[in-house]
Amino acid sequence: MWNTALKFIAQLLLAKFVRDRMKSVQEDFSNDAEGHFGALKKNVAALVENHAAIFKQQLNQDMKRAANSLFGLVFIFFALLCSVLTALMWLFAIAWNSAHRDVILGVTMALPLLISVGIFLAIRHTWKKQPLFSKSMIQIESDWQVFKDGLDGTADTSDEANR
């Protein structure tokens, strides 16, 4: 009988010890997991905030560039309009005789056209050099690759591994 009582007490003590250890491990795991998830949340929030700032800056730069291009194109059209009007006036001025009429009218027509061509080439060069939202697209592409390939870049993305 004492033998059975000792076995029963030993089982109770062992069960209490195992239960306490399981509780301790479970608390440590849940605290550690919350810590990892909390850090992950903070890191993702920082990443999103950083990318939002980059996209905002890129949007502002591209909007300024688009506005400058628009003003340049307006000037080009204005110069073309002036040249057309000058050409019409030249046709009317043929009726009157002037010794330097060709030089004066030629320069007044050619100068706005040459300035327009220069502005057009400058605008075209800036847009060829850096397309609209190019930095943002590069950032989005790199983020997509990170999420697609895994955070450490060593994830197996083959079809066989994902079956």
Side-chain angles (χ1 to χ4, degrees):
M1 179 164 127
W2 289 104
N3 196 12
T4 308
L6 286 174
K7 285 181 185 178
F8 182 69
I9 291 172
Q11 283 180 346
L12 286 177
L13 289 175
L14 182 62
K16 183 175 179 353
F17 175 74
V18 169
R19 193 172 345 158
D20 289 343
R21 288 299 294 158
M22 289 297 287
K23 238 185 236 183
S24 172
V25 168
Q26 187 177 12
E27 287 174 5
D28 287 347
F29 179 73
S30 63
N31 289 341
D32 191 36
E34 250 180 54
H36 286 302
F37 288 133
L40 181 63
K41 287 178 191 176
K42 288 179 185 175
N43 289 338
V44 169
L47 176 74
V48 169
E49 185 178 342
N50 186 23
H51 287 183
I54 290 171
F55 294 150
K56 179 182 175 185
Q57 179 185 11
Q58 182 72 26
L59 178 66
N60 286 336
Q61 289 174 352
D62 284 344
M63 291 305 289
K64 286 178 184 176
R65 190 166 52 140
N68 289 339
S69 297
L70 180 66
F71 287 134
L73 290 173
V74 166
F75 181 79
I76 289 172
F77 291 132
F78 179 72
L80 289 173
L81 179 67
C82 288
S83 294
V84 167
L85 289 176
T86 303
L88 286 174
M89 288 189 298
W90 191 347
L91 290 174
F92 294 126
I94 290 177
W96 294 284
N97 289 332
S98 174
H100 302 290
R101 180 183 66 230
D102 294 340
V103 173
I104 295 169
L105 292 175
V107 168
T108 59
M109 270 184 19
L111 189 62
L113 289 174
L114 291 176
I115 292 172
S116 297
V117 168
I119 291 173
F120 173 76
L121 291 176
I123 290 171
R124 184 170 180 235
H125 175 69
T126 60
W127 285 98
K128 288 279 187 178
K129 185 171 73 173
Q130 183 179 5
L132 187 65
F133 298 119
S134 64
K135 291 179 185 174
S136 299
M137 290 301 157
I138 291 170
Q139 186 67 44
I140 289 170
E141 182 180 339
S142 70
D143 291 346
W144 175 250
Q145 290 301 322
V146 165
F147 286 119
K148 181 179 163 194
D149 296 339
L151 294 176
D152 60 355
T154 60
D156 190 4
T157 59
S158 66
D159 290 336
E160 295 155 3
N162 293 322
R163 286 186 188 172

